Amino acid sequence: MTDALELDALWEDFHRVVNMTSQELAAWLRVRDAAEDAEPLPDDAGSPTGQHVLAILQKRRTDLTDDDLRVMRKVVDTVTSQVDLENEPEPEDAGDTGRRHRLMTLGHDPLKASR
């Protein structure tokens, strides 16, 4: 496991980059996976990483596992490498829709004002 200072920093970073609530993320994952002819069960909607982010959002810091910490680091690294968090929201053009949707699967909506 990670020491307390590292855990605190990771917790803060994760909740800074994940700017969607658990309800918003759950709804997005269901919409994202919905197809014309079928829709997955609500608990099965979304990518494994998106589902893991949703589970982390519903946990207390003291309940995190090593796997949770790995996913949190991955999400923080991915979002911070693709987004200028200081200058959001940024205008979106048609070419950015795919990028926005990929980030939303991780719990980050680039068009939502940061917390």
Side-chain angles (χ1 to χ4, degrees), residues 25-48 51:
L25 179 56
W28 169 249
L29 294 175
R30 284 191 304 273
V31 166
R32 181 82 172 151
D33 269 9
E36 212 172 284
D37 58 343
E39 186 173 328
L41 295 172
D43 292 341
D44 295 334
S47 69
Q51 281 295 320

Side-chain angles (χ1 to χ4, degrees):
M1 196 80 151
T2 308
D3 74 29
L5 289 177
E6 287 178 71
L7 179 59
D8 288 346
L10 179 58
W11 180 263
E12 292 299 321
D13 287 345
F14 179 79
H15 284 89
R16 180 176 47 87
V17 302
V18 175
N19 65 357
M20 295 170 71
T21 65
S22 58
Q23 294 85 5
E24 290 169 333
L25 179 56
W28 169 249
L29 294 175
R30 284 191 304 273
V31 166
R32 181 82 172 151
D33 269 9
E36 212 172 284
D37 58 343
E39 186 173 328
L41 295 172
D43 292 341
D44 295 334
S47 69
T49 302
Q51 281 295 320
H52 204 143
V53 169
L54 182 58
I56 292 167
L57 288 174
Q58 297 168 341
K59 287 186 176 187
R60 295 175 302 174
R61 187 183 326 201
T62 57
D63 296 332
L64 296 173
T65 65
D66 287 337
D67 199 37
D68 294 336
L69 298 177
R70 180 188 58 77
V71 169
M72 290 170 71
R73 285 184 192 100
K74 176 182 173 183
V75 168
V76 169
D77 290 346
T78 300
V79 172
T80 55
S81 72
Q82 294 185 28
V83 176
D84 178 3
L85 295 171
E86 302 301 319
N87 294 314
E88 283 188 323
E90 36 186 73
E92 181 178 341
D93 61 37
D96 284 342
T97 302
R99 174 182 162 273
R100 178 179 181 223
H101 289 177
R102 284 188 302 278
L103 288 167
M104 287 174 68
T105 300
L106 298 176
H108 180 81
D109 185 349
L111 298 183
K112 186 174 181 181
S114 60
R115 297 178 186 187

